[in-house]
């Protein structure tokens, strides 16, 4: 068992960095040049933007923070900063080295320097917060609000706003994967005997009616609230959590819409069905404040399965699919694949987490 959740979180974040650095994992080939050619290139490179500088630094700050925190809480206080900075630098160097074999990626010694600097900043920040006692206060606060609960639920709650940053076809409609899965399987299996194994859809996908859109929005916003209720017992804290969840969801959706369609369309998603669904979610969140944890888990399973069933019986809007092309080909190319996968997989990860919780013996408190 880990002495601190910082280690598994650091491992998870490392995997996310690898994904973002090597996505889309296509076209691997030896290009006939030294893989270390980027190391001797002049600094700064001829083409760079402040966006690249900031993202390369910020992207590695959480990794340095988590590695240093894990080191501090595992007895490596004297070496925590050096350990975290070194690990971040080695990871960044490895990613730049591998990018030379990906034609769609460009390795850069400037990226390496900025990534290493970001890991160092995160490590110093973690050590400083630990020295000031602020992290210990956070631990006390977390235990007072959530008790001695598995950290997986908190991680899923933290990932929900991030999953909304890749624009879903319907506000808060995470997990709509059936149509894309069908298309992908058709492309992969075309011309093979396995095409006969694919199930045939008996009826075409039908767009959702406004009433169905309202219900899907309501269920999508209610799901993270119920996940929080599963971890929180106190009714007042549940109410605060539901309010903060709604604010985070609205902010993430507005930011996603602004990045996908332009700042003037940041609130274009706030249609009448969406507004009605948000109001209904708020009313249900208030009514469900007194229920026990086990009932929260059961209701959460029903909410997710109902929403996923409705979403995956509807096709993607053609205008929405066309708009995604600008998102995927724009300046967020490096991160869109990660956000897209978060949006696809978050509901299914919650289903697995809740099913595991229900399989364990818990008091209905």
């Amino acid at each position: 068992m880990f002495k601190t959740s910082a280690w598994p979180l650091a491992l998870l974040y490392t995997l996310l960095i690898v994904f973002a650095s090597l996505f889309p994992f296509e076209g691997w080939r030896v290009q006939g040049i030294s893989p270390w050619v980027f190391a001797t290139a002049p600094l700064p490179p001829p083409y760079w933007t402040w966006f690249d500088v900031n993202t390369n630094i910020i992207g590695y700050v959480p990794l340095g923070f988590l590695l240093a925190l894990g080191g501090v809480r595992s007895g490596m206080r004297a070496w925590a900063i050096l350990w975290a900075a070194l690990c971040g630098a080695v990871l960044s160097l490895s990613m730049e080295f591998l990018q030379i074999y990906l034609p769609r990626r460009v390795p850069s010694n400037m990226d390496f320097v900025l990534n290493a600097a970001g890991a160092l900043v995160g490590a110093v920040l973690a050590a400083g917060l630990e020295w000031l006692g602020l992290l210990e206060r956070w631990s006390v606060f977390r235990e007072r609000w959530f008790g001695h609960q598995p950290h997986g639920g908190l991680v899923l709650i933290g990932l929900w706003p991030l999953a909304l940053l890749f624009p879903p076809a319907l506000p808060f409609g995470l997990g709509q994967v059936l149509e894309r899965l069908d298309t992908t399987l058709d492309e992969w299996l075309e011309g093979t005997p396995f095409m006969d194994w694919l199930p045939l859809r008996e009826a075409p996908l039908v767009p959702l009616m406004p009433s169905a859109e309202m219900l899907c929005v309501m269920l999508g916003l209610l799901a993270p609230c119920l996940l929080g209720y599963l971890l929180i017992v106190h009714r007042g804290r549940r109410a605060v959590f539901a309010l903060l969840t709604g604010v985070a969801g609205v902010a993430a959706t507005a930011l996603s819409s602004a990045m996908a369609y332009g700042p003037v369309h940041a609130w274009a998603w706030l249609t009448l069905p969406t507004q009605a669904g948000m109001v209904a979610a708020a009313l249900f969140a208030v009514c469900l404040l007194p229920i026990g944890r086990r009932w929260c888990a059961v209701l959460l399973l029903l909410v997710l399965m109902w929403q996923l069933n409705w979403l995956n019986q509807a096709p993607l809007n053609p205008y929405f699919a066309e708009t995604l092309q600008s998102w995927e080909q724009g300046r967020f190319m490096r991160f869109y694949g990660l956000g897209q996968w978060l949006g696809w997989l978050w509901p299914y990860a919650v289903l697995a987490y809740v099913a595991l919780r229900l399989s364990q013996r818990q008091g209905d408190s």
Side-chain angles (χ1 to χ4, degrees), residues 38 40-50 53 107-111 113-114:
F38 73 92
T40 57
L43 281 172
Y47 304 104
W48 62 276
T49 65
W50 282 112
V53 171
S108 167
N109 53 3
M110 182 175 178
D111 289 352
V113 171
L114 294 174

Side-chain angles (χ1 to χ4, degrees), residues 91-359:
L91 176 62
S92 176
L93 187 63
S94 301
M95 295 300 98
E96 301 300 327
F97 176 86
L98 291 174
Q99 283 179 1
I100 200 68
Y101 299 102
L102 287 169
R104 297 179 63 179
R105 306 310 299 264
V106 180
S108 167
N109 53 3
M110 182 175 178
D111 289 352
F112 164 68
V113 171
L114 294 174
N115 293 158
L120 178 60
V121 169
V124 172
L125 179 62
L129 292 178
E130 182 73 15
W131 181 74
L132 292 173
L134 297 180
L135 293 181
E136 183 63 29
R137 295 179 186 176
W138 157 250
S139 297
V140 173
F141 170 82
R142 184 187 62 198
E143 290 185 7
R144 185 170 69 248
W145 272 66
F146 303 100
H148 297 283
Q149 298 291 327
H151 297 299
L154 294 177
V155 173
L156 290 170
I157 289 172
L159 289 177
W160 181 70
L162 300 179
L164 293 174
L165 289 180
F166 185 87
L170 187 70
F172 314 114
L174 302 180
Q176 189 175 5
V177 299
L178 182 59
E179 184 178 9
R180 296 193 178 200
L181 182 60
D182 283 348
T183 303
T184 302
L185 288 177
D186 286 343
E187 293 176 354
W188 286 357
L189 301 179
E190 185 177 3
T192 70
F194 298 103
M195 276 294 293
D196 297 332
W197 294 14
L198 291 180
L200 296 177
R201 187 181 298 118
E202 297 180 357
L205 298 176
V206 179
L208 293 174
M209 298 292 290
S211 58
E213 290 185 11
M214 182 202 72
L215 287 174
C216 284
V217 168
M218 179 193 75
L219 297 172
L221 192 53
L222 194 59
C225 294
L226 286 172
L227 181 58
Y229 291 2
L230 182 59
L231 306 178
I232 303 171
V233 177
H234 191 274
R235 296 183 188 180
R237 292 168 185 166
R238 282 182 171 183
V240 173
F241 174 83
L243 177 62
L244 294 178
T245 297
V247 171
V250 169
T253 304
L255 177 60
S256 172
S257 182
M259 290 190 296
Y261 305 103
V264 295
H265 301 291
W267 301 102
W269 56 276
L270 207 55
T271 61
L272 182 58
T274 300
Q275 296 178 42
M278 293 171 61
V279 171
L283 293 176
F284 272 104
V286 172
C287 294
L288 295 175
L289 287 175
I291 66 173
R293 284 177 172 171
R294 185 167 291 274
W295 278 109
C296 283
V298 172
L299 288 175
L300 180 53
L301 287 178
L302 294 175
V303 162
L304 288 172
M305 289 189 292
W306 194 8
Q307 187 203 31
L308 290 173
N309 179 61
W310 279 29
L311 283 175
N312 285 290
Q313 290 184 20
L316 290 176
N317 186 296
Y319 175 72
F320 171 76
E322 181 180 350
T323 303
L324 289 188
Q325 295 299 318
S326 62
W327 173 285
E328 296 174 359
Q329 297 171 6
R331 68 190 312 184
F332 297 95
M333 173 65 189
R334 182 166 185 167
F335 302 101
Y336 95 90
L338 176 59
Q340 187 177 45
W341 278 95
L342 281 176
W344 283 346
L345 298 180
W346 188 87
Y348 304 99
V350 175
L351 281 173
Y353 171 78
V354 177
L356 180 62
R357 288 290 300 267
L358 280 174
S359 68

Side-chain angles (χ1 to χ4, degrees), residues 15 17-28 102 104-105:
L15 295 177
I17 287 178
V18 172
F19 186 97
S21 299
L22 303 182
F23 186 85
F25 302 95
E26 295 177 350
W28 292 88
L102 287 169
R104 297 179 63 179
R105 306 310 299 264

